[in-house]
Amino acid sequence: MDGIFNVIKPPDMTSFDVVAYLRRALKTKKIGHGGTLDPDAAGVLPVFAGTATRLLEFAVEGQKEYIAEFTLGLQTDTGDDTGEVIKTMPVPAFDETFLQETLNSFLGKQMQTPPMYSALKIDGQKLYQLARKGIEVEREAREIDVYELELLNYTQNTFAVRIKCSKGTYIRVLGEDICAALGSCGTMSFLLRTQVGGFLINEAHTLAEIAENPQSCMSEPINAVNELAKVKLTAKQAFRVTSGVRTTIRGLEDGRYAILGPEEQFLGIGSAAESMLKAEKILEHYPKPEED
């Protein structure tokens, strides 16, 4: 079974748990997920099976969208409400205008330091494993990009937002920083991921639905790279490119492409430079065409 499953991950289940469940349900060993989602969070988790696993990196590259709630006045060691409270502060009075202005100040490119409670690896060890042992290590700040921050609602000590952001953005950390800018501290009290690249929550399936009828829930591998331009090849070109031969494609602009065969079947990913196309990841080798 070669394809992608847009899964609604339930809360209280790790991303690895979802993959393990589907590995058994689909009776396949070649399977992986595109982008870890916190155990306490719910929402979109793309799972790739068979040859589609070669495209996992493209799911991770896509932009993400979340709905998150933050509670002001307390901060936890994990950055969400599953952790131990390590700090409390009064919550100053604020109005919607000040809250919206504060949110707007977090739009755009910025540096963010990953939290200790994360699946990020340093020297082969996941940070959350070190954090559970009381060990804190230095983490290098990374550039993120916050495209949209829409205020959904707020109370005296909570606010909910819709966030559209780049890969690598930790919503818990973003929330802590926003709460600090409001003059208090805070922690994430709810998180729902609604989009990963081209995978949307209104098109996602539950684990039970997938187990009952996998074929009806599976999408084609090309859906992982919908953001790429497509190039359609002749039979001869398709054979050469999928055989690893750099091939001239007249007028092809430099860049990365989804490679299509003459019948528009998805063959893989290639990159072009100076009208020469070479394969990067091939999912299907095109047969040698018969000589005229």
Side-chain angles (χ1 to χ4, degrees), residues 75-78 86 113-117 122-123 125-140 176:
Q75 187 172 337
T76 68
D77 55 358
T78 60
I86 57 173
T113 301
M116 277 302 301
Y117 278 89
I122 292 183
D123 295 330
Q125 283 194 288
K126 292 181 179 179
L127 288 179
Y128 72 82
Q129 294 174 333
L130 296 174
R132 288 171 181 170
K133 297 176 183 177
I135 301 171
E136 183 165 350
V137 296
E138 187 132 357
R139 289 97 65 203
E140 187 176 340
E176 288 176 339

Tab-separated table of all heavy atoms in Angstrom, residues 75-78 86 113-117 122-123 125-140 176:
chain	number	residue	atom	x	y	z
A	75	GLN	N	3.075	29.500	34.690
A	75	GLN	CA	3.964	28.908	33.701
A	75	GLN	C	4.387	27.530	34.198
A	75	GLN	O	4.621	27.336	35.389
A	75	GLN	CB	5.192	29.796	33.488
A	75	GLN	CG	6.090	29.341	32.345
A	75	GLN	CD	7.183	30.370	32.055
A	75	GLN	OE1	7.034	31.547	32.376
A	75	GLN	NE2	8.276	29.924	31.454
A	76	THR	N	4.468	26.569	33.282
A	76	THR	CA	4.838	25.202	33.664
A	76	THR	C	6.175	24.814	33.046
A	76	THR	O	6.665	25.467	32.123
A	76	THR	CB	3.771	24.192	33.202
A	76	THR	OG1	3.776	24.121	31.770
A	76	THR	CG2	2.385	24.584	33.705
A	77	ASP	N	6.757	23.721	33.558
A	77	ASP	CA	8.054	23.277	33.040
A	77	ASP	C	7.942	22.707	31.627
A	77	ASP	O	8.906	22.721	30.863
A	77	ASP	CB	8.699	22.251	33.985
A	77	ASP	CG	7.789	21.060	34.280
A	77	ASP	OD1	6.632	21.027	33.797
A	77	ASP	OD2	8.231	20.141	35.010
A	78	THR	N	6.764	22.229	31.246
A	78	THR	CA	6.585	21.659	29.903
A	78	THR	C	6.062	22.670	28.895
A	78	THR	O	6.067	22.405	27.694
A	78	THR	CB	5.602	20.472	29.947
A	78	THR	OG1	4.336	20.940	30.427
A	78	THR	CG2	6.122	19.352	30.839
A	86	ILE	N	5.859	26.222	37.600
A	86	ILE	CA	7.166	26.696	38.072
A	86	ILE	C	7.179	28.204	38.314
A	86	ILE	O	8.145	28.735	38.869
A	86	ILE	CB	8.285	26.336	37.058
A	86	ILE	CG1	7.974	26.924	35.675
A	86	ILE	CG2	8.484	24.835	36.983
A	86	ILE	CD1	9.100	26.752	34.660
A	113	THR	N	14.017	29.789	20.511
A	113	THR	CA	14.801	28.714	21.112
A	113	THR	C	13.892	27.524	21.409
A	113	THR	O	12.889	27.680	22.112
A	113	THR	CB	15.475	29.185	22.411
A	113	THR	OG1	16.323	30.302	22.121
A	113	THR	CG2	16.317	28.062	23.021
A	114	PRO	N	14.197	26.331	20.890
A	114	PRO	CA	13.353	25.152	21.155
A	114	PRO	C	13.279	24.859	22.656
A	114	PRO	O	14.254	25.070	23.385
A	114	PRO	CB	14.084	24.022	20.417
A	114	PRO	CG	14.911	24.711	19.382
A	114	PRO	CD	15.316	26.017	19.992
A	115	PRO	N	12.135	24.363	23.127
A	115	PRO	CA	11.998	24.053	24.562
A	115	PRO	C	12.689	22.738	24.911
A	115	PRO	O	12.927	21.893	24.047
A	115	PRO	CB	10.477	23.925	24.730
A	115	PRO	CG	10.002	23.446	23.386
A	115	PRO	CD	10.888	24.102	22.377
A	116	MET	N	12.989	22.573	26.185
A	116	MET	CA	13.592	21.312	26.627
A	116	MET	C	12.613	20.154	26.451
A	116	MET	O	13.013	19.040	26.103
A	116	MET	CB	14.023	21.410	28.092
A	116	MET	CG	15.376	22.066	28.310
A	116	MET	SD	16.755	21.234	27.446
A	116	MET	CE	16.686	19.584	28.143
A	117	TYR	N	11.337	20.411	26.703
A	117	TYR	CA	10.342	19.352	26.500
A	117	TYR	C	9.928	19.336	25.033
A	117	TYR	O	8.901	19.892	24.638
A	117	TYR	CB	9.136	19.547	27.416
A	117	TYR	CG	9.378	19.010	28.814
A	117	TYR	CD1	9.936	19.827	29.794
A	117	TYR	CD2	9.073	17.694	29.144
A	117	TYR	CE1	10.172	19.338	31.077
A	117	TYR	CE2	9.313	17.198	30.421
A	117	TYR	CZ	9.862	18.027	31.378
A	117	TYR	OH	10.105	17.542	32.640
A	122	ILE	N	19.633	16.259	20.435
A	122	ILE	CA	20.960	16.847	20.567
A	122	ILE	C	21.908	15.742	21.006
A	122	ILE	O	21.672	15.084	22.026
A	122	ILE	CB	20.976	18.022	21.566
A	122	ILE	CG1	20.186	19.206	21.002
A	122	ILE	CG2	22.414	18.443	21.880
A	122	ILE	CD1	20.200	20.440	21.881
A	123	ASP	N	22.951	15.528	20.207
A	123	ASP	CA	23.902	14.439	20.467
A	123	ASP	C	23.193	13.096	20.601
A	123	ASP	O	23.533	12.275	21.458
A	123	ASP	CB	24.732	14.732	21.726
A	123	ASP	CG	25.629	15.954	21.565
A	123	ASP	OD1	26.043	16.223	20.420
A	123	ASP	OD2	25.891	16.634	22.569
A	125	GLN	N	20.242	12.350	21.661
A	125	GLN	CA	19.242	12.196	22.722
A	125	GLN	C	18.123	13.209	22.545
A	125	GLN	O	18.365	14.387	22.250
A	125	GLN	CB	19.883	12.389	24.098
A	125	GLN	CG	20.681	11.173	24.577
A	125	GLN	CD	20.988	11.296	26.060
A	125	GLN	OE1	21.809	12.104	26.459
A	125	GLN	NE2	20.330	10.488	26.875
A	126	LYS	N	16.889	12.748	22.730
A	126	LYS	CA	15.754	13.652	22.644
A	126	LYS	C	15.737	14.563	23.870
A	126	LYS	O	15.988	14.119	24.992
A	126	LYS	CB	14.450	12.854	22.545
A	126	LYS	CG	14.308	12.092	21.222
A	126	LYS	CD	13.011	11.328	21.149
A	126	LYS	CE	12.893	10.612	19.799
A	126	LYS	NZ	11.649	9.827	19.690
A	127	LEU	N	15.433	15.824	23.631
A	127	LEU	CA	15.483	16.806	24.711
A	127	LEU	C	14.536	16.465	25.857
A	127	LEU	O	14.886	16.644	27.022
A	127	LEU	CB	15.166	18.204	24.152
A	127	LEU	CG	16.252	18.852	23.289
A	127	LEU	CD1	15.784	20.207	22.781
A	127	LEU	CD2	17.547	19.013	24.077
A	128	TYR	N	13.346	15.964	25.545
A	128	TYR	CA	12.403	15.686	26.626
A	128	TYR	C	12.900	14.569	27.544
A	128	TYR	O	12.574	14.533	28.736
A	128	TYR	CB	10.999	15.386	26.092
A	128	TYR	CG	10.830	14.050	25.410
A	128	TYR	CD1	10.628	12.874	26.153
A	128	TYR	CD2	10.823	13.944	24.028
A	128	TYR	CE1	10.447	11.654	25.523
A	128	TYR	CE2	10.647	12.727	23.400
A	128	TYR	CZ	10.472	11.587	24.145
A	128	TYR	OH	10.298	10.368	23.527
A	129	GLN	N	13.714	13.647	26.995
A	129	GLN	CA	14.284	12.592	27.825
A	129	GLN	C	15.286	13.163	28.813
A	129	GLN	O	15.355	12.728	29.967
A	129	GLN	CB	14.937	11.534	26.932
A	129	GLN	CG	13.942	10.768	26.064
A	129	GLN	CD	14.610	9.836	25.075
A	129	GLN	OE1	15.751	10.070	24.651
A	129	GLN	NE2	13.909	8.783	24.669
A	130	LEU	N	16.066	14.148	28.358
A	130	LEU	CA	17.003	14.824	29.260
A	130	LEU	C	16.243	15.661	30.291
A	130	LEU	O	16.606	15.676	31.473
A	130	LEU	CB	17.943	15.719	28.452
A	130	LEU	CG	18.881	15.016	27.470
A	130	LEU	CD1	19.638	16.040	26.631
A	130	LEU	CD2	19.875	14.128	28.219
A	131	ALA	N	15.184	16.334	29.828
A	131	ALA	CA	14.411	17.190	30.733
A	131	ALA	C	13.797	16.384	31.873
A	131	ALA	O	13.752	16.851	33.018
A	131	ALA	CB	13.325	17.921	29.954
A	132	ARG	N	13.342	15.179	31.574
A	132	ARG	CA	12.742	14.331	32.615
A	132	ARG	C	13.756	13.899	33.664
A	132	ARG	O	13.394	13.536	34.782
A	132	ARG	CB	12.085	13.107	31.974
A	132	ARG	CG	10.797	13.442	31.229
A	132	ARG	CD	10.286	12.258	30.437
A	132	ARG	NE	9.060	12.584	29.712
A	132	ARG	CZ	8.510	11.805	28.791
A	132	ARG	NH1	9.094	10.650	28.470
A	132	ARG	NH2	7.405	12.178	28.169
A	133	LYS	N	15.035	13.944	33.289
A	133	LYS	CA	16.108	13.609	34.239
A	133	LYS	C	16.622	14.849	34.961
A	133	LYS	O	17.570	14.773	35.740
A	133	LYS	CB	17.275	12.944	33.492
A	133	LYS	CG	16.927	11.624	32.828
A	133	LYS	CD	18.118	11.099	32.029
A	133	LYS	CE	17.777	9.808	31.287
A	133	LYS	NZ	18.906	9.338	30.446
A	134	GLY	N	15.998	15.991	34.684
A	134	GLY	CA	16.423	17.227	35.315
A	134	GLY	C	17.636	17.854	34.665
A	134	GLY	O	18.278	18.732	35.252
A	135	ILE	N	17.953	17.415	33.444
A	135	ILE	CA	19.129	17.929	32.730
A	135	ILE	C	18.685	18.968	31.705
A	135	ILE	O	17.793	18.715	30.909
A	135	ILE	CB	19.883	16.784	32.012
A	135	ILE	CG1	20.327	15.727	33.024
A	135	ILE	CG2	21.076	17.329	31.239
A	135	ILE	CD1	20.873	14.462	32.372
A	136	GLU	N	19.314	20.133	31.756
A	136	GLU	CA	19.038	21.164	30.756
A	136	GLU	C	20.304	21.429	29.958
A	136	GLU	O	21.387	21.576	30.531
A	136	GLU	CB	18.559	22.457	31.412
A	136	GLU	CG	18.203	23.527	30.395
A	136	GLU	CD	17.401	24.675	30.988
A	136	GLU	OE1	16.958	24.561	32.143
A	136	GLU	OE2	17.204	25.676	30.274
A	137	VAL	N	20.170	21.447	28.634
A	137	VAL	CA	21.320	21.682	27.766
A	137	VAL	C	21.073	22.934	26.931
A	137	VAL	O	19.939	23.380	26.766
A	137	VAL	CB	21.578	20.474	26.830
A	137	VAL	CG1	21.956	19.249	27.627
A	137	VAL	CG2	20.373	20.200	25.945
A	138	GLU	N	22.156	23.486	26.421
A	138	GLU	CA	22.056	24.684	25.590
A	138	GLU	C	21.410	24.332	24.258
A	138	GLU	O	21.743	23.322	23.640
A	138	GLU	CB	23.453	25.261	25.360
A	138	GLU	CG	23.442	26.572	24.668
A	138	GLU	CD	24.342	27.607	25.351
A	138	GLU	OE1	24.929	27.328	26.399
A	138	GLU	OE2	24.419	28.674	24.794
A	139	ARG	N	20.459	25.154	23.831
A	139	ARG	CA	19.811	24.962	22.536
A	139	ARG	C	20.037	26.187	21.680
A	139	ARG	O	19.984	27.314	22.184
A	139	ARG	CB	18.296	24.746	22.673
A	139	ARG	CG	17.914	23.407	23.267
A	139	ARG	CD	17.637	23.508	24.745
A	139	ARG	NE	16.486	24.315	25.052
A	139	ARG	CZ	16.303	24.904	26.228
A	139	ARG	NH1	17.205	24.785	27.188
A	139	ARG	NH2	15.214	25.637	26.458
A	140	GLU	N	20.278	25.950	20.408
A	140	GLU	CA	20.525	27.057	19.489
A	140	GLU	C	19.210	27.607	18.964
A	140	GLU	O	18.336	26.855	18.541
A	140	GLU	CB	21.391	26.571	18.321
A	140	GLU	CG	21.852	27.676	17.398
A	140	GLU	CD	22.792	27.170	16.318
A	140	GLU	OE1	23.385	26.083	16.490
A	140	GLU	OE2	22.924	27.867	15.296
A	176	GLU	N	4.230	31.428	25.354
A	176	GLU	CA	4.920	31.958	26.535
A	176	GLU	C	5.445	33.364	26.266
A	176	GLU	O	5.363	34.249	27.121
A	176	GLU	CB	6.064	31.035	26.936
A	176	GLU	CG	5.618	29.729	27.564
A	176	GLU	CD	6.784	28.799	27.870
A	176	GLU	OE1	7.860	28.959	27.262
A	176	GLU	OE2	6.610	27.914	28.740
